[in-house]
Amino acid sequence: MIQRDELCSLIPHSGGMCLLDKVLHWDPTIIQCSSETHLLSQNPLCIHHQLAAVHAIEYGAQAMAVHGGLLARKHGTHPVKGFVAALKDVNLYADYLHDKPDPLQINAKALLLNSDAMIYRFRITSGGISIADGQITVMSAAGG
């Protein structure tokens, strides 16, 4: 299991903006993470102590970034910085995240990994209930 300090070192976000708490499992194509940051009133995405379900997309994107960082570390390279270029088939099954008392489980599966782009399917649950799912495309900021 990879804890918060180590996983935050793998992504460009730091401090409170690193939304994930743990990597529970990962391999070359999938990553499973957990987080309770949706319960924190100081979560930087909260507005009036409320965290909208649309922010689940950021949790999915951060899981992707951690996965990319872990793969880069495994291969002795540096992670490629990128930006979210597209969302596809995103479904939100709740209005808010802050009202879910159980940890968020963030699962992502790589569909495409190369130096120009990453495409993942993500699914977020809490207490076994689906919160959000969809597809995220991240393009390399370096352009290849």
Side-chain angles (χ1 to χ4, degrees):
M1 186 174 338
I2 299 169
Q3 299 294 331
R4 181 178 173 78
D5 289 342
E6 183 180 355
L7 74 84
C8 288
S9 72
L10 297 168
I11 61 175
H13 301 309
S14 62
M17 198 52 212
C18 179
L19 300 176
L20 305 176
D21 291 327
K22 299 175 192 166
V23 174
L24 303 171
H25 172 77
W26 75 281
D27 67 29
T29 58
I30 65 166
I31 188 163
Q32 298 170 333
C33 302
S34 177
S35 179
E36 293 187 37
T37 64
H38 65 296
L39 300 172
L40 301 175
S41 61
Q42 67 269 27
N43 183 310
L45 301 178
C46 279
I47 299 173
H48 304 296
H49 304 289
Q50 296 182 330
L51 186 61
V54 71
H55 292 111
I57 296 166
E58 179 63 22
Y59 283 83
Q62 285 195 22
M64 291 173 59
V66 169
H67 191 247
L70 289 167
L71 289 171
R73 184 170 72 182
K74 179 180 178 182
H75 293 105
T77 62
H78 295 287
V80 176
K81 291 185 181 183
F83 60 91
V84 174
L87 302 171
K88 182 178 177 183
D89 299 327
V90 173
N91 299 293
L92 302 176
Y93 304 105
D95 293 325
Y96 296 99
L97 300 178
H98 68 275
D99 61 356
K100 309 300 178 257
D102 294 320
L104 298 179
Q105 300 298 313
I106 304 100
N107 298 298
K109 179 179 181 180
L111 305 176
L112 172 75
L113 295 170
N114 65 40
S115 61
D116 295 323
M118 298 187 312
I119 301 174
Y120 282 76
R121 289 283 314 162
F122 75 94
R123 181 171 186 249
I124 299 175
T125 61
S126 178
I129 306 295
S130 290
I131 304 297
D133 58 35
Q135 184 173 301
I136 303 173
T137 300
V138 171
M139 299 299 296
S140 168

